[in-house]
Amino acid sequence: MNSVAFVVIAILTLAAALAAASLQKLIHAALCFAAAFVGVAAFYFLLGAEFVGLVQVFVYVGAVAVLIVFTILLTRRDAERERGFHWSGALIALAIFAGLLWAIVRTSGLSVAAPWIAPLTVRQIGEALMTDYVWPLQCLGLVLTAALIGALVLVMEEKG
Amino acid sequence: MNPTLQLFLIISAALFCIGLLAALSRRHAIFILIGIEMMLAAAGLNFIAFWRFAPQPAPPTGVMVTVFAIAIAAAEAAVGLALVITVYRHYRTTNVDQIDQLKG
């Protein structure tokens, strides 16, 4: 693993995430959200999980970001920009980050180097999905179908 | 020097807390959804990092959990955004502070 790549990806991801959390204009925040998720996908590539990185790009940058942009456009009349900001939330997030950081730094045995790893092929993932994970896969299909139908029912116009 | 597991965990914790910040402090429903998605992505990053740094050969459990988490997060985003649109139709607002009719 390349440490230069790590630093660059980390800075880009965290900057984009912070921008997505703090920008005033919703549409800019949505674009920064997409950029942050490209960064997370780059982390997956760096860690040797190429398939997950591709899934992340397809699902988040391809589908969820488009959904968010469409929702922003559909609810536009409300607030092009919104002003309310609760500082107590920022305090809670900072406190939790401090706690997590303390726990991570205090835990011993985390500063290990990555072992050599045989590349994880899509064939292996597919075989695992069809053998060990076949029931979770079926349940996930059911959940996705139910979510799709539920979303359609929710946004359908009520007819008198 | 190569990045260690600790660094990945710190990045993931930072991403989680940025998501928490967005979910707790913004008042727009879409921002809250974006924050929740970020927290889920941070959890996925943790799973992948622990899988990568585990003693090899390791079964691809972390990869599988992350793939399932991404799929469930997509379903959650679809339903959540549909709810935002429905609430907007009823109340003409997406500010969660003004949607308080169920407040006891």
Side-chain angles (χ1 to χ4, degrees), chain A residues 146-159:
Chain A
L148 192 68
I149 295 171
L152 278 176
V153 168
L154 274 176
V155 295
M156 213 150 38
E157 298 273 5
E158 288 169 32
K159 294 210 175 79

Side-chain angles (χ1 to χ4, degrees), chain A residues 47-115:
Chain A
L47 285 165
E50 288 88 358
F51 179 72
V52 187
L54 280 178
V55 168
Q56 174 95 1
V57 170
F58 289 156
V59 171
Y60 276 111
V61 185
V64 174
V66 172
L67 263 182
I68 287 176
V69 169
F70 264 100
T71 311
I72 290 170
L73 295 181
L74 281 174
T75 59
R76 185 153 215 174
R77 199 189 312 163
D78 175 31
E80 175 75 1
R81 51 185 64 227
E82 58 81 53
R83 290 186 180 77
F85 191 87
H86 285 208
W87 287 101
S88 55
L91 279 181
I92 294 171
L94 256 181
I96 290 181
F97 181 61
L100 283 175
L101 202 62
W102 179 79
I104 291 169
V105 171
R106 283 279 305 246
T107 309
S108 60
L110 285 185
S111 50
V112 290

Side-chain angles (χ1 to χ4, degrees), chain A residues 1 21 47 78 82 86 115, chain B residues 1-2 25-26 37 52 94:
Chain A
M1 263 181 278
L47 285 165
D78 175 31
E82 58 81 53
H86 285 208
Chain B
M1 192 200 89
N2 281 326
S25 59
R26 303 307 295 259
E37 297 289 333
R52 180 65 182 80
T94 46

Side-chain angles (χ1 to χ4, degrees), chain A residues 128-154:
Chain A
L129 277 178
M130 283 297 126
T131 53
D132 292 344
Y133 296 90
V134 67
W135 284 110
L137 188 72
Q138 302 294 329
C139 293
L140 191 66
L142 208 62
V143 167
L144 282 174
T145 314
L148 192 68
I149 295 171
L152 278 176
V153 168
L154 274 176

Side-chain angles (χ1 to χ4, degrees), chain B residues 35-73:
Chain B
I36 291 170
E37 297 289 333
M38 269 187 210
M39 289 193 268
L40 280 166
L45 188 57
N46 256 5
F47 271 112
I48 295 284
F50 275 112
W51 163 76
R52 180 65 182 80
F53 285 88
Q56 298 297 329
T61 315
V63 175
M64 289 304 162
V65 171
T66 310
V67 170
F68 284 121
I70 289 173
I72 290 185

Side-chain angles (χ1 to χ4, degrees), chain B residues 1-39:
Chain B
M1 192 200 89
N2 281 326
T4 58
L5 178 56
Q6 205 171 29
L7 285 176
F8 281 100
L9 294 188
I10 289 172
I11 294 292
S12 161
L15 196 62
F16 181 87
C17 288
I18 292 171
L20 195 65
L21 169 79
L24 287 182
S25 59
R26 303 307 295 259
R27 296 294 93 199
H28 198 289
I30 295 174
F31 271 113
I32 295 175
L33 270 173
I34 287 179
I36 291 170
E37 297 289 333
M38 269 187 210
M39 289 193 268

